[in-house]
Amino acid sequence: MGRPRHCVVDGYSHLWSTTLRREGKAWPSTAPTALLVAELLDDPLLGPGDPSLPDAMLAYLHAVCVAADLGARAAEIRARVENRGPELQAWTASCLSADVDARARMWQDGTELGEPVLGQAALACFDVVPSLLHRALPHLASERGRRRTCAAAAVVALARHPSALLQRPALLEQLTSMAGAADSPHTAWQRF
């Protein structure tokens, strides 16, 4: 017997609220969580009673990719956080173990470590994009229209990454072909 639908919805909501900031930006937990979600996409035990769960996971990966879209800023952020890993990890661990009031004070304590921690989190997302793209691509061929739509959105966001430069022409051709196969422009995304 599967889990009650409300448990799945609550878990999915918790996934978004704890791993993505309100502005759609990354927390330190975002990149490792995205890798786990991408790995679960092909797990037959993911939502056996709810085939929309993998669709939702692809939508989550799309949001992570938006947070990872650093463009030219990636090199600047990397230079800023380089060689600060232990210091930033210690600050993050202290922040996570602090109570709500202490955590708020840490963000305003004048050490200005919160900004590089968030930069490092965004950079971690940027660095996992090639793995996420690899996991999302097969879902473009799904029999489920909604899954193709979610996969297409994720792939488009992922393809903005510099590592996908050589894949872009083939991806564009595949997405254009899929859109052309739709009955009308209004159903194009439903066909994906």
Side-chain angles (χ1 to χ4, degrees):
M1 181 175 209
R3 292 184 180 175
R5 175 119 175 102
H6 68 87
C7 290
V8 172
V9 171
D10 290 348
Y12 182 67
S13 177
H14 184 72
L15 170 71
W16 281 74
S17 66
T18 58
T19 64
L20 288 167
R21 293 169 28 215
R22 285 189 187 148
E23 315 82 37
K25 299 195 183 216
W27 287 115
S29 62
T30 307
T33 302
L35 284 172
L36 179 62
V37 165
E39 195 172 307
L40 290 173
L41 278 174
D42 299 318
D43 190 326
L45 297 177
L46 177 65
D50 184 358
S52 70
L53 197 53
D55 307 346
M57 295 297 120
L58 284 161
Y60 172 79
L61 292 181
H62 172 266
V64 171
C65 297
V66 170
D69 190 5
L70 300 177
R73 295 181 310 135
E76 181 262 321
I77 293 170
R78 196 175 305 280
R80 237 182 335 142
V81 300
E82 194 173 43
N83 302 322
R84 294 184 77 183
E87 173 189 23
L88 299 178
Q89 287 174 340
W91 187 90
T92 301
S94 293
C95 187
L96 291 173
S97 65
D99 64 38
V100 173
D101 293 332
R103 199 173 308 138
R105 284 192 300 275
M106 287 181 73
W107 283 98
Q108 302 167 354
D109 69 359
T111 64
E112 299 177 6
L113 288 177
E115 184 181 333
V117 163
L118 295 178
Q120 186 179 52
L123 192 60
C125 289
F126 179 84
D127 290 344
V128 301
V129 164
S131 295
L132 302 181
L133 179 59
H134 174 74
R135 291 293 193 152
L137 278 172
H139 296 277
L140 288 174
S142 173
E143 292 180 8
R144 289 181 46 82
R146 180 88 171 131
R147 178 124 351 115
R148 288 190 307 271
T149 300
C150 294
V155 166
V156 167
L158 291 161
R160 293 177 51 87
H161 194 273
S163 70
L165 183 63
L166 296 177
Q167 287 178 276
R168 284 184 198 146
L171 291 172
L172 179 60
E173 185 176 318
Q174 183 177 7
L175 292 169
T176 301
S177 173
M178 291 170 71
D183 298 332
S184 77
H186 302 289
T187 62
W189 281 106
Q190 294 171 355
R191 294 282 309 237
F192 281 149

